[in-house]
Amino acid sequence: HEASAAANDLEAVRAHNSRCVEETRRLHAMVVDPTHAADVARLMVLVKKHGEVKAGEHTFKVACKRSMREMQRTLAATAEGPSCAAPGALDTGVLPTSSPSPEEEEHMRDIQATFLKEERKHTSARGAVAKRTRAVQLLARKLDDIPTRAELVQYERRFA
């Protein structure tokens, strides 16, 4: 029984092999045929380009992984290390690539001073608005306690 199964498998492999050989002969005849020369040349260029793209893809992936590891190391180092900002400086979330020039430092101090001044003005203005709102609400409650003319007439009729 095993011998007949092996013989059947051998026959299937031989049939597949003969089909492959016939297809190879047919394709070789097409490649050699001068009427298909332009198509074959274009196909060869495309196959070569495909190989180059695959190789480029691999090198690109390797470079991206290397760059990712380097960025992760830099991120971890900045997260663990001391703050790179000067005391009192605004935290912009951007890591400096080099130390700022004295002009840039002066400009940053001016900007920070202006920001703090405007922030204080904003806070005091909000406080004034809140105080005014509380006064208006107090007056509104007092006005609600005073009966209107229609209410007074109704009270007179009810209790008189």
Side-chain angles (χ1 to χ4, degrees), residues 109-127:
R109 280 192 292 274
D110 290 343
I111 291 172
Q112 187 175 10
T114 303
F115 172 76
L116 291 173
K117 184 176 81 173
E118 293 299 321
E119 187 177 34
R120 282 192 292 271
K121 281 173 43 180
H122 178 258
T123 303
S124 67
R126 284 183 62 193

Side-chain angles (χ1 to χ4, degrees), residues 37-149:
D39 294 334
V40 170
R42 185 164 183 244
L43 181 63
M44 296 302 283
V45 168
L46 290 174
V47 167
K48 183 178 178 184
K49 200 178 277 188
H50 176 72
E52 292 170 355
V53 167
K54 279 293 190 182
E57 177 186 19
H58 176 70
T59 56
F60 178 71
K61 284 183 177 181
V62 168
C64 286
K65 287 179 183 177
R66 186 179 333 113
S67 177
M68 175 72 108
R69 284 192 302 270
E70 182 63 32
M71 287 180 187
Q72 287 173 340
R73 277 195 298 271
T74 304
L75 181 63
T78 56
E80 293 171 0
S83 175
C84 56
L90 293 175
D91 183 17
T92 59
V94 177
L95 297 176
T97 55
S98 64
S99 61
S101 68
E103 296 85 21
E104 289 173 335
E105 288 178 0
E106 181 64 30
H107 185 65
M108 287 298 293
R109 280 192 292 274
D110 290 343
I111 291 172
Q112 187 175 10
T114 303
F115 172 76
L116 291 173
K117 184 176 81 173
E118 293 299 321
E119 187 177 34
R120 282 192 292 271
K121 281 173 43 180
H122 178 258
T123 303
S124 67
R126 284 183 62 193
V129 167
K131 187 176 182 180
R132 177 89 172 171
T133 302
R134 282 192 300 271
V136 167
Q137 291 299 320
L138 179 65
L139 290 174
R141 282 193 297 274
K142 285 182 180 180
L143 282 174
D144 285 342
D145 289 342
I146 300 172
T148 62
R149 184 174 301 271

